[in-house]
Amino acid sequence: MSLGNNDKAIATFTMLAHAIVHWFELAIPIFLVVWLDAFDVSVALVGLVVALGYAPFGLGALPAGLLADRYGPKRLILLCLAGMSGSFVTLAAAPSIYAVAANLLCWGIIASIYHPAGLALISTGVENRGTVFAWHGIAGNVGIALGPFATATLLLVFEWQLVAVALAVPGLVATIYGLRLEFDPTAALDSRSRTTDADATTDSAAGSAFVANSKSLFASSFLLVFAVVTFVGLYYRGVLTYLPELLHGLPAMAGIESPGGLEELSLGDYIYVGLLVAGMAGQYVAGKLTARVAVARGLVVVFLGLAALALAFVPISSMGLGAIVFYCGVLGFSLFAIEPFYQEAVAVYTPADTRGLSYGYTYLGMFGLGALSISLGGYLLDHTTMGVFFATLSVIALLGAGISVRLLTKPDPRRAQSAASATTADD
């Protein structure tokens, strides 16, 4: 199915915004080393400062979802792009590490807006959701890869303050582009859904409406979807946080030097980038499959694959460089292939008038609760073995698969609607 003009406009807008969110997100750790020297502070303090920026990124998703339902996703996304860019511009003028912390805190609060607003826009405005979810995820991976690369490259030539301003330029350009772009954010909804959506918009911010909508969501199949996404987040954060460090320490990496001029990067870093590239392919393929396969069935298959891959890391790590490279490619493909499935699951199992709230809860689970695996993983790697760490990840994936099996027993509203439409057409 090809994309119509409205789908293309929304896809372009959300892909650009998604890439820029992660462009900023992954630039921050590169600045960490510079701030250590610039402000003569401890690693612990700078780590706390960076955490202040990342903490609201997941925790702010829920209120951001409420705002998206009330004010509309396009307006929220434009605010997000302008606010993130502004935070980096003012970051350049920070006279102390405490001013840096304040700017990063503002960035994190504003950045938390994007995922619930962007995904709500795709779910209500795009007819061919699976394809756009896939391209949307690929754009995010492009930002993940380019953000740190651009930051590190610019820091070789310019002072960090000028680099911070330069990184804000794409966000400002995207804001101007978005202001001029026109599309229908509810094109994928029928007339009844549009009316309901409009009526709910004025009430969704009220406390009673929030409680009522939340109770309604968690009394439905969305409770299972939320649990699925939380287990995705636990696996995702655990793997992506510690895999680069684990790759560096493998015997297969010893004795292989980086190309001239890139001594700061190890072979493990290159393999990690390759994992992200493979993830783009996984997102594209899975996005296409969401239109052909029940989302719950897709989640079960990918979770089982991730469980097997976690158990396979330790034996494969001793097989040589070729096996490790191949393994990381498969892992990257599988890890990011699950994203279009859980994003589609939210769209399938939630009503349109609470879509922003639904994605708010989704990314609270993904980035907020999912981050618990960072501390758990650090504890396991410090006090046990690498094998125990990956066995724990395998258990997490198996629990996700079990919940997805339970979701498979629930009726798929999307397919029920298609069957009803076919019956009406026959009549």
Side-chain angles (χ1 to χ4, degrees):
M1 184 192 306
S2 61
L3 298 181
N5 290 335
N6 197 71
D7 283 14
K8 288 180 181 177
I10 293 177
T12 303
F13 181 50
T14 54
M15 287 170 63
L16 186 58
H18 194 205
I20 288 173
V21 168
H22 291 296
W23 160 277
F24 285 124
E25 178 196 7
L26 272 296
I28 292 172
I30 306 300
F31 281 121
L32 186 150
V33 178
V34 180
W35 291 332
L36 283 171
D37 292 334
F39 300 110
D40 191 22
V41 292
S42 67
V43 175
L45 179 57
V46 176
L48 178 61
V49 166
V50 172
L52 282 174
Y54 285 152
F57 192 51
L59 299 177
L62 181 55
L66 288 170
L67 292 173
D69 283 337
R70 178 173 182 129
Y71 296 107
K74 180 181 179 181
R75 190 178 302 175
L76 267 292
I77 294 171
L78 290 172
L79 173 64
C80 177
L81 289 170
M84 289 190 300
S85 303
S87 295
F88 264 60
V89 171
T90 57
L91 176 65
S96 68
I97 194 64
Y98 303 105
V100 169
N103 278 279
L104 292 184
L105 180 62
C106 290
W107 176 87
I109 293 171
I110 296 168
S112 70
I113 293 172
Y114 177 70
H115 284 93
L119 294 171
L121 175 58
I122 293 172
S123 71
T124 59
V126 171
E127 297 286 349
N128 192 357
R129 280 197 309 247
T131 297
V132 175
F133 276 142
W135 284 109
H136 178 265
I138 290 170
N141 271 32
V142 171
I144 287 172
L146 289 183
F149 176 80
T151 306
T153 302
L154 290 171
L155 285 171
L156 294 175
V157 182
F158 303 107
E159 295 294 326
W160 74 266
Q161 293 91 339
L162 186 58
V163 174
V165 174
L167 292 175
V169 172
L172 294 172
V173 172
T175 304
I176 296 171
Y177 173 76
L179 286 169
R180 303 181 62 182
L181 193 63
E182 294 184 1
F183 51 76
D184 181 358
T186 60
L189 305 180
D190 57 29
S191 58
R192 181 179 176 183
S193 297
R194 289 169 185 257
T195 302
T196 303
D197 214 25
D199 293 340
T201 299
T202 58
D203 299 328
S204 61
S208 58
F210 165 70
V211 172
N213 288 340
S214 297
K215 286 183 177 178
S216 176
L217 281 175
F218 284 99
S220 68
S221 299
F222 178 73
L223 175 61
L224 297 175
V225 176
F226 178 78
V228 163
V229 173
T230 299
F231 281 106
V232 172
L234 290 169
Y235 192 104
Y236 174 92
R237 284 300 192 195
V239 166
L240 292 189
T241 298
Y242 295 108
L243 187 60
E245 180 181 352
L246 294 174
L247 289 173
H248 293 168
L250 295 181
M253 305 295 173
I256 302 177
E257 297 182 357
S258 301
L262 294 175
E263 290 81 4
E264 303 87 350
L265 300 176
S266 73
L267 181 61
D269 294 315
Y270 291 105
I271 294 175
Y272 186 70
V273 172
L275 181 151
L276 296 175
V277 173
M280 298 180 194
Q283 287 169 324
Y284 180 78
V285 172
K288 289 293 187 181
L289 288 175
T290 57
R292 300 173 174 84
V293 178
V295 288
R297 184 171 289 110
L299 288 167
V300 171
V301 171
V302 180
F303 265 129
L304 291 176
L306 291 173
L309 286 167
L311 293 177
F313 181 84
V314 173
I316 286 178
S317 65
S318 61
M319 291 183 182
L321 183 60
I324 293 170
V325 171
F326 178 77
Y327 170 87
C328 287
V330 176
L331 176 62
F333 183 96
S334 305
L335 184 61
F336 287 95
I338 204 166
E339 186 173 301
F341 282 111
Y342 76 69
Q343 291 172 347
E344 177 70 5
V346 176
V348 167
Y349 291 102
T350 60
D353 60 320
T354 58
R355 199 60 54 76
L357 177 63
S358 303
Y359 281 114
Y361 275 119
T362 297
Y363 281 90
L364 173 63
M366 177 70 182
F367 292 132
L369 299 180
L372 294 174
S373 64
I374 297 176
S375 56
L376 174 62
Y379 176 84
L380 292 175
L381 291 171
D382 277 345
H383 295 88
T384 60
T385 65
M386 186 169 62
V388 173
F389 170 73
F390 278 100
T392 302
L393 290 179
S394 182
V395 170
I396 288 171
L398 289 174
L399 290 172
I403 297 170
S404 300
V405 169
R406 182 74 180 91
L407 186 63
L408 193 58
T409 65
K410 299 292 184 179
D412 186 331
R414 179 183 59 180
R415 296 182 181 275
Q417 185 178 12
S418 298
S421 300
T423 302
T424 303
D426 291 339
D427 292 342

